[in-house]
Amino acid sequence: MKNKFEPVYTLVSNIPKGKVTTYGDIAKKLHMSPRVVGYALHKNPYEGEIPCHRVVNREGRIAPNFAFGGLGIQKKLLEAEGVNFKDDKHVDLAKYFVSNL
């Protein structure tokens, strides 16, 4: 049986290394709520395959408790891909945001 969140996972899989997109951008493309996108990523059955860490909120803020490793892991994963932060919690969307997935 196909997972109903497969379209979310497909889009997230297309985010290039060193780039991010937002829950809202994915939601708009798939005609769903950003909260549903967040839920889908939290329930991701493909841990380690789908780069959920590349999805941030509309302000560029990372998740306060990243589902796959806890606090701080999302930031470490993004920094390892060359993504710089404006402060402790916010990615510079002007520099790293990608929408054409």
Side-chain angles (χ1 to χ4, degrees), residues 24-56:
D25 191 63
I26 293 168
K28 186 176 179 180
K29 286 177 173 61
L30 298 176
H31 308 287
M32 60 177 55
S33 161
R35 289 183 185 265
V36 172
V37 172
Y39 178 80
L41 295 180
H42 184 75
K43 296 295 184 181
N44 174 14
Y46 309 108
E47 185 178 346
E49 295 176 42
I50 306 297
C52 297
H53 65 282
R54 296 180 188 148
V55 182
V56 297

